[in-house]
Amino acid sequence: MSPRPDLGPKPRLGYTQSPIDRAAELRPDDAAMARLAAQPGAGAYVIGGDWIVMKKGAPLNEPLFAFDEARSLGAAGETVFLGLLGGVARFGHGLAPAAAEALKSNERYLVTDLRSIAVQGLVEAEHLPLIAEAKAVLHWHLRHRFCPNCGAPTRPVSAGWKRDCPQCDTEHFPRTDPVAIMLAVTGEQCLLGRSPRFLPTMWSCLAGFIEPGEAIEDAVRRETREEAGITCGRVVYFQSQPWPFPSSLMIGCHAAALTRDIVVDRAELEDARWFSKGEVESMLMRRHPQGLTTPPPVAIAHHLIRAWLEDEIRFD
Ligand SMILES: [Zn+2]
């Protein structure tokens, strides 16, 4: 057994530890919403599809806008009440994606995607879970303009947390899609794979959507078997992470691998193989001789791998 490595202080997992009080009881109260929006200090995150609009700053940018300022930026979409922070309201303000794109040429603003903001640390880390919340709900609005039951146009209510169908009276709520992400381990080795979409040097945990009627543990075993041909036994839940691309919840698990012979599903993965603790440590600490890496701390895969390296999880 290799000695427990010293990996330094644990970094923060992206989009988690939200400081907000969602104050869901206020959502149906239109008068309260109007009052909160007019309060001094109330602010909105401005999001146009995949684009986040920020006021340029150094070293960090400012993603919060006063309401009037947000409205002056271009054609607006829906608004969603995110909750209260220190008694002051935060909102997500939807901008037409084309209006957000048009702001890219304005030197007062920085317009970029949320992944870049998180990985490069372009705003205070406290903003990330709030931007993630706003982005996921605003994306849902963009995709649910019509009732899936009868086809009539739906209308937003409850401060952006519901859409009603005036034709058939069906209520529609924002959805979250669960994804199982897992690190299969056996003795002193773990299984990592490469998607063709990854940077050429990156290896990560396997992952896949949980299907209707499927338990998390069964999804972990199915995905590992389908993508890498590995059979897993015991599955242990580790941690979860909102993943607003567009609206997933990553459910991180460790799994005890019962077999060793890998059969890669080339339709899903470019490659998959076993890695030793020593090699994974060098990847995590960015000192692998061939430059191989694991995902950055913003992603739950980083934390799943690190917890195994630090012996937080053992199956023997
Ligand atoms: Zn309907």
Side-chain angles (χ1 to χ4, degrees), residues 234-257:
R234 197 169 152 228
V235 172
V236 176
Y237 169 76
F238 171 63
Q239 195 176 3
S240 67
Q241 176 185 33
W243 193 249
F245 306 102
S247 52
S248 291
L249 176 68
M250 307 299 277
I251 302 172
C253 296
H254 293 96

Side-chain angles (χ1 to χ4, degrees), residues 107-126:
E107 61 183 27
R108 288 187 60 204
Y109 304 112
L110 177 62
V111 181
T112 189
D113 64 283
L114 182 53
R115 270 195 194 85
S116 303
I117 292 172
V119 171
Q120 296 169 35
L122 300 180
V123 300
E124 287 281 1
E126 283 71 22

Side-chain angles (χ1 to χ4, degrees), residues 147 149-152 165 167-168 170:
C147 176
N149 189 44
C150 76
C165 175
Q167 188 74 37
C168 72
T170 305

Side-chain angles (χ1 to χ4, degrees), residues 151-262:
T154 55
R155 60 175 182 220
V157 291
S158 283
W161 285 94
K162 198 164 71 136
R163 293 187 79 92
D164 280 349
C165 175
Q167 188 74 37
C168 72
D169 289 335
T170 305
E171 301 174 299
H172 302 284
F173 296 92
R175 42 176 303 159
T176 297
D177 299 317
V179 173
I181 177 164
M182 51 275 174
L183 186 68
V185 302
T186 171
E188 294 291 294
Q189 291 188 310
C190 73
L191 177 68
L192 298 178
R194 271 192 48 72
S195 154
R197 294 174 285 111
F198 288 179
L199 292 171
T201 52
M202 195 196 293
W203 292 75
S204 186
C205 298
L206 306 187
F209 283 104
I210 297 175
E211 297 188 342
E214 190 171 49
I216 297 169
E217 293 84 347
D218 291 331
V220 167
R221 294 187 192 101
R222 175 180 57 76
E223 287 287 345
T224 310
R225 192 177 61 246
E226 285 177 1
E227 293 192 356
I230 297 297
T231 302
C232 289
R234 197 169 152 228
V235 172
V236 176
Y237 169 76
F238 171 63
Q239 195 176 3
S240 67
Q241 176 185 33
W243 193 249
F245 306 102
S247 52
S248 291
L249 176 68
M250 307 299 277
I251 302 172
C253 296
H254 293 96
L258 302 178
T259 60
R260 292 198 49 86
D261 292 337
I262 294 172

